[in-house]
Each structure stands twice: as structure tokens, then as C-alpha cells.
Amino acid sequence: MQSDGADLVVGLPVRRGIGYALPKRETAPWIPDGRIAFWGGWGGSMIIADLDRRTTISYVMNRMAPGILGSDRSAAYVRAVYDGLS
């Protein structure tokens, strides 16, 4: 972990490694704990690198939705992927 606090651009609390966010329940509750690095974008896009499960999840939407770090649709997609892995 390199920093833990409010991101000045997105205005949300973010734990950061070098270049990516690290899991933090109050920011992205659908991302489990562990050795995970992630980032998302306006509209719903999301990328997750999960070292513990040796898995990468990527989501890019066809239609933008409101959200700074992902969206309700990307959260549902990520939950479905993790449900499938367990």
C-alpha cells in the first residue's frame, strides 16, 4: 500500500498501490479482500487483477452508466464472476 485516503479526482476513499486501487469495502464492496489491484472508469468500465485467484476480470460497457469507479452493472458482473469461482 502506497496511500490510503480521499482521491482528489474521484472524491472517494481509495487505498492505492502503485498505479491501481486496492480493495476497500467502503469504496467497492463487491471486490473481495486479498491481493487484488483494480481500477474503473466513468461509465462503468472496470479492470481487476486478482493474484490470489490467478484471475483477471475486465468489463467495458456498451452503454455508459453513472458511476466513477464502475457501475451497478459492473458490480453485478464482478459478483457473478466471483460467485462462479467459488
Side-chain angles (χ1 to χ4, degrees):
M1 181 175 70
Q2 300 296 314
S3 68
D4 187 0
D7 183 288
L8 297 178
V9 175
V10 300
L12 295 171
V14 177
R15 279 186 345 126
R16 288 189 182 273
I18 297 176
Y20 287 93
L22 305 173
K24 187 169 186 138
R25 288 280 171 209
E26 64 189 279
T27 303
W30 62 91
I31 297 176
D33 291 327
R35 296 184 314 149
I36 296 173
F38 74 94
W39 196 245
W42 178 257
S45 60
M46 178 66 61
I47 184 75
I48 299 170
D50 188 326
L51 298 173
D52 293 332
R53 294 167 185 85
R54 299 177 59 185
T55 301
T56 299
I57 303 167
S58 177
Y59 173 78
V60 179
M61 64 288 158
N62 289 331
R63 186 182 323 163
M64 291 182 69
I68 295 173
L69 289 177
S71 67
D72 291 341
R73 285 181 287 179
S74 57
Y77 175 71
V78 169
R79 284 186 184 111
V81 169
Y82 278 111
D83 286 348
L85 291 173
S86 50

